[in-house]
Amino acid sequence: MAKSLWLRLGFPLATWLWLFWPSLDHMVTVWLNSKTYEHCFLILPICLWLVWRQRDEIRNIPLSVSGLAACLLGIPCLLWLMGRAADIGLFEHLAAVMSLQLLLWAILGTAIARALWFPLLYLFFAVPFGESLVPQLQIITADLSVWLLNLSNIPVYREGLYLTIPNGRFYVAEACSGIRFLMSSVALGTLFAYLQFTKTYKRLCFVAFSFVFPIIANGIRAFGIVIIGYWSDMKYAAGADHLIYGWVFFSLIILVIFFTASRFSDAELPPTDHNQTKTPTSPRAQKRVFVSVFCLFGLTALWHLHLTHHAESTNALPNSATNRTGTDTTSAEAGITTVNETRTGASNTPLTTWGITFPKAINSQRHSAAEGKAEIYTASYNLWQRDGELISSTNQLFNQDTWSLQRSRGVQLQSGVHAKTMTIANARGDTMHLVYWYCINEFCSSNPLAIKLVRASYRLAGLKGVSNVTAVASSELGETEITQFAGQNEAVLVPSM
């Protein structure tokens, strides 16, 4: 069976690897460049080891095919095209893993896929996800630290993510959010739940425990660092000490999860007898599934090739964006003066320490408005430009080294556009209110995912367009006032191309 299995897997897996190679290469690059996802390198070896554990069981299951899996394979292929079109790495990575799972199900059959359900699903942990949890984890860590400091009768003043005690100040940075501990512990906790428990409710409860426990433990770790700094008059709990305490604490978390799983483990179930499932699959059905898989991969490759060719031909055209100079009549009526920036240079007149930046924009402008009480920033991107896009990790709505997010909420402008307001604060206690939204042609929203999906739909259809961001900030106007100003002057604020 081993020889026939490798012959059955060889060409389909090679085709899958060829099609999804750019996304797989990017996924591994993310693992290499982010300590949050270093555990992802272990996922594939663990899955192969789990399959090896079941090798005797698999030998007793006849090879088959699944037409349902072959049909479902179109979903990750479409998701992958959307991810490539919109530059959404998460979509690409999910699609690559899902397509592998469905491919194996399609060419090995439902019986083998059912026997290997956990190794197949465990591949999802190879997808680098969870970064969106960081802001909330920072807030939870700060909340727990302040609560524990109050219980310890240690005076503390909190301003956003800054914690000030009598002899020092601490900032709950992204690295202190505990995302690394969380992702690793959930991955290991899920593995322990499968290996140690047989009852479904126990497995679910243990996975939930492996998610909640590291969050609480990270709050205690942050509290410990603050209290060590308090007792040592800030001589310790910083720099290398900070990292050492973190890794020691993470090791304790893993030990607690491991011993908890061992303490409440279930007896191992006897191996399943698959002899009654030996029903041969007709050669015609097998051929139909294999042809469907290869045709689907071929169509996906052709569509992606067309998308790439269109992007290259569009980027070869001269840039049609123009840089606005001076102050137009409408802007003057709204009390707006303009400072222009282009891709080849930026203004030498910084307005404040706001720190908003959207690099690679084909047209960006900064404005002073409301008698100098408010500032406006706009930036535009071509939907097909190769270097730079509207929604990107390199873009930031404020200088994150200077400011920390206190709160944010969605608002609706007078025109019906769904925008978002944010309140940010710095270490000195200064606060600033922001309101911002994104647009692609006539569609506007503050939801980055919605903007990404609209961009993908334009690119998949071969349509042209312009995307832009509009943001208004003020340290003098309140949240309600700045929202009203943005709504009243929305037509003026949106950049023209």
Side-chain angles (χ1 to χ4, degrees):
M1 177 182 175
K3 184 177 180 180
S4 61
L5 181 62
W6 284 113
L7 289 174
R8 194 184 191 93
L9 290 174
F11 192 56
L13 287 180
T15 306
W16 169 83
L17 187 64
W18 166 77
L19 178 61
F20 293 98
W21 176 256
S23 302
L24 296 172
D25 180 63
H26 181 263
M27 189 159 59
V28 173
T29 301
V30 174
W31 301 350
L32 288 170
N33 295 333
S34 175
K35 293 185 178 296
T36 303
Y37 303 117
E38 288 179 339
H39 68 279
C40 293
F41 284 103
L42 299 175
I43 300 302
L44 183 58
I46 289 174
C47 290
L48 294 175
W49 171 72
L50 291 171
V51 172
W52 179 255
R53 288 177 74 245
Q54 297 178 255
R55 63 190 182 279
D56 294 332
E57 179 184 354
I58 296 172
R59 286 195 185 102
N60 295 323
I61 306 176
L63 292 173
S64 180
V65 292
S66 172
L68 174 61
C71 294
L72 293 176
L73 194 57
I75 297 176
C77 287
L78 181 59
L79 181 66
W80 183 73
L81 286 171
M82 293 185 65
R84 296 292 291 175
D87 292 326
I88 305 178
L90 179 61
F91 282 13
E92 292 186 48
H93 303 157
L94 274 175
V97 172
M98 288 175 61
S99 61
L100 176 60
Q101 295 165 330
L102 290 171
L103 176 64
L104 293 174
W105 178 11
I107 63 179
L108 297 179
T110 301
I112 291 181
R114 186 182 292 117
L116 299 177
W117 70 271
F118 184 80
L120 289 175
L121 291 180
Y122 198 67
L123 286 170
F124 277 124
F125 282 106
V127 177
F129 67 94
E131 287 288 349
S132 59
L133 297 175
V134 169
Q136 285 300 319
L137 291 174
Q138 288 176 275
I139 294 173
I140 293 173
T141 301
D143 290 341
L144 288 173
S145 300
V146 170
W147 182 68
L148 292 171
L149 287 169
N150 289 331
L151 285 181
S152 305
N153 292 321
I154 296 177
V156 57
Y157 172 73
R158 177 180 176 181
E159 187 69 36
L161 297 176
Y162 289 93
L163 307 182
T164 304
I165 59 176
N167 51 353
R169 176 183 291 125
F170 292 85
Y171 175 66
V172 184
E174 292 184 4
C176 302
S177 64
I179 186 66
R180 280 190 285 171
F181 301 157
L182 179 62
M183 300 308 297
S184 300
S185 66
V186 170
L188 289 175
T190 303
L191 178 62
F192 291 157
Y194 171 73
L195 295 174
Q196 300 289 342
F197 304 109
T198 58
K199 298 181 177 63
T200 302
Y201 79 92
K202 277 191 173 183
R203 286 174 171 174
L204 294 176
C205 288
F206 191 78
V207 171
F209 167 74
S210 66
F211 180 83
V212 175
F213 178 67
I215 296 176
I216 297 175
N218 186 64
I220 298 174
R221 180 191 67 85
F223 161 73
I225 290 173
V226 174
I227 204 168
I228 288 173
Y230 176 75
W231 286 338
S232 66
D233 198 22
M234 302 304 290
K235 292 181 180 179
Y236 303 106
D241 297 328
H242 193 126
L243 297 175
I244 292 172
Y245 299 150
W247 280 111
V248 170
F249 213 84
F250 175 66
S251 301
L252 292 175
I253 290 174
I254 298 302
L255 286 174
V256 170
I257 291 176
F258 174 77
F259 283 116
T260 303
S262 301
R263 174 65 179 81
F264 299 99
S265 62
D266 295 330
E268 188 174 352
L269 292 176
T272 305
D273 183 13
H274 295 278
N275 288 327
Q276 70 267 14
T277 64
K278 289 189 175 181
T279 54
T281 305
S282 66
R284 179 177 295 180
Q286 296 191 38
K287 182 179 179 181
R288 188 163 51 243
V289 167
F290 276 81
V291 170
S292 299
V293 168
F294 290 128
C295 287
L296 186 58
F297 281 172
L299 288 174
T300 303
L302 288 175
W303 199 347
H304 179 250
L305 183 63
H306 170 72
L307 184 68
T308 304
H309 176 73
H310 193 284
E312 290 176 350
S313 61
T314 304
N315 276 291
L317 296 176
N319 194 347
S320 60
T322 58
N323 187 35
R324 295 169 62 186
T325 57
T327 305
D328 58 38
T329 305
T330 311
S331 299
E333 291 175 355
I336 300 174
T337 59
T338 304
V339 179
N340 292 283
E341 300 170 334
T342 65
R343 295 180 65 180
T344 57
S347 169
N348 293 322
T349 312
L351 298 176
T352 66
T353 57
W354 178 7
I356 186 171
T357 175
F358 280 74
K360 307 296 184 180
I362 57 177
N363 184 6
S364 61
Q365 300 168 355
R366 292 177 297 154
H367 314 272
S368 174
E371 299 178 352
K373 296 179 181 179
E375 300 171 29
I376 305 162
Y377 179 89
T378 60
S380 302
Y381 294 83
N382 188 306
L383 288 183
W384 291 91
Q385 72 180 73
R386 183 179 303 166
D387 52 339
E389 62 169 311
L390 183 64
I391 308 298
S392 171
S393 59
T394 60
N395 304 338
Q396 58 180 16
L397 289 161
F398 57 87
N399 187 341
Q400 298 181 9
D401 294 330
T402 304
W403 304 92
S404 64
L405 178 65
Q406 282 191 313
R407 62 181 180 273
S408 66
R409 67 182 183 91
V411 295
Q412 188 171 358
L413 303 182
Q414 293 179 357
S415 64
V417 171
H418 292 279
K420 181 171 285 188
T421 64
M422 293 193 304
T423 301
I424 57 178
N426 61 19
R428 298 191 302 270
D430 302 326
T431 59
M432 182 180 289
H433 300 287
L434 282 72
V435 58
Y436 70 94
W437 64 95
Y438 307 107
C439 291
I440 292 182
N441 289 356
E442 301 300 323
F443 176 81
C444 296
S445 174
S446 61
N447 187 336
L449 179 58
I451 294 295
K452 281 275 194 179
L453 293 177
V454 171
R455 179 175 183 264
S457 65
Y458 270 78
R459 288 170 63 98
L460 286 174
L463 301 176
K464 297 181 180 181
V466 174
S467 58
N468 57 68
V469 59
T470 304
V472 186
S474 176
S475 56
E476 299 183 50
L477 301 179
E479 185 177 308
T480 303
E481 295 174 299
I482 198 171
T483 303
Q484 289 176 348
F485 173 82
Q488 293 169 357
N489 297 280
E490 181 186 349
V492 180
L493 300 179
V494 175
S496 61
M497 299 299 298

